[in-house]
Amino acid sequence: MATWRLLSETAKQKYGLSMEKNFRATSNARNEAMFQEATRFAAHLRTVEKELSTWQKDIESSFNNIRNIMLSPLPRVYEEGHNGQAVPSEPEPTMVGGDVQVERLTTTAAETKKRLDMEVIQPIKQWMVAYRTIAERMKRLEALRLELDSRRRTVADLQGRCERVRANLGTTRARGEVDMEITLRKMQHKEDK
């Protein structure tokens, strides 16, 4: 579609610059309503996707910190010994984690990240790819809708001309027949598009 046709039809519909009072633009309200809802949902998904990605990065760090704490010894109480030196009250330090299987934290972190990616983040990304595809199709649909309306206006204008030429045929028959033939051919060409 010619850029001028698109701009012209957009201006006519948006600002009411058309002379045709009976012309009704092709409706795309259904698709636009659905797309507006999808756009609002996509904005929420973008926020969630960012937060989940941040959280996914923090999982490994958090589990490593917990692991390090569990492997750390508890501070001991020291008493003063016979020769003035500090002696711990317990010979061996007690570990914070005690009997906890600390290595399971590493595997749990990896499994959590993997499942979060597969079950949550990947479906969100797939939905966003589909949304971007729909957004592109909506742009093309709007351009086609405007082109259709522009061509409908042209055909309606040509039909009006034919009617006027037919009405004047009685007075100027030869010239009217030539004008009528030219207009009919042009109208047929436009209708065929």
Side-chain angles (χ1 to χ4, degrees):
M1 178 170 148
T3 305
W4 175 248
R5 183 185 295 264
L6 178 67
L7 293 173
S8 173
E9 188 62 29
T10 301
K12 286 177 183 177
Q13 289 185 18
K14 191 172 186 178
Y15 303 112
L17 300 177
S18 175
M19 298 302 241
E20 302 95 359
K21 299 298 179 200
N22 296 332
F23 184 82
R24 289 184 60 162
T26 306
S27 176
N28 194 22
R30 178 181 148 273
N31 290 329
E32 288 173 357
M34 290 187 297
F35 187 67
Q36 285 175 354
E37 283 188 11
T39 300
R40 285 191 297 271
F41 185 70
H44 295 303
L45 280 184
R46 279 188 204 100
T47 303
V48 168
E49 185 179 17
K50 287 178 186 175
E51 289 175 359
L52 287 175
S53 294
T54 301
W55 186 53
Q56 190 177 30
K57 292 173 187 172
D58 292 342
I59 287 173
E60 188 173 346
S61 172
S62 297
F63 275 89
N64 280 337
N65 289 338
I66 292 170
R67 181 182 176 280
N68 290 340
I69 289 172
M70 293 295 172
L71 292 175
S72 298
L74 284 169
R76 297 182 282 179
V77 175
Y78 283 79
E79 297 176 355
E80 193 170 320
H82 297 296
N83 52 3
Q85 289 185 338
V87 177
S89 60
E90 297 176 17
E92 292 296 319
T94 306
M95 301 308 243
V96 172
D99 295 339
V100 173
Q101 297 174 353
V102 178
E103 295 312 314
R104 282 188 138 184
L105 290 173
T106 307
T107 58
T108 302
E111 182 64 25
T112 302
K113 285 174 55 177
K114 179 181 168 187
R115 289 188 65 195
L116 181 64
D117 186 55
M118 289 175 47
E119 297 175 14
V120 181
I121 294 175
Q122 288 305 317
I124 288 174
K125 286 182 179 180
Q126 290 172 349
W127 194 93
M128 292 303 290
V129 166
Y131 170 76
R132 284 188 292 275
T133 301
I134 296 299
E136 186 58 39
R137 288 181 181 169
M138 283 296 291
K139 288 178 187 174
R140 287 187 304 199
L141 177 63
E142 182 63 11
L144 287 173
R145 185 188 72 76
L146 290 171
E147 182 175 359
L148 172 68
D149 285 351
S150 175
R151 293 189 186 281
R152 284 179 48 225
R153 282 181 201 275
T154 302
V155 168
D157 180 55
L158 290 172
Q159 286 173 340
R161 283 187 198 176
C162 281
E163 289 173 12
R164 284 191 301 277
V165 169
R166 279 191 188 122
N168 292 333
L169 252 169
T171 58
T172 57
R173 184 125 185 111
R175 176 70 183 145
E177 287 178 353
V178 171
D179 285 346
M180 179 73 145
E181 184 63 30
I182 291 171
T183 304
L184 284 173
R185 271 192 248 141
K186 189 174 182 181
M187 185 173 73
Q188 185 63 44
H189 172 73
K190 295 295 182 178
E191 284 177 341
D192 289 345
K193 280 187 171 182

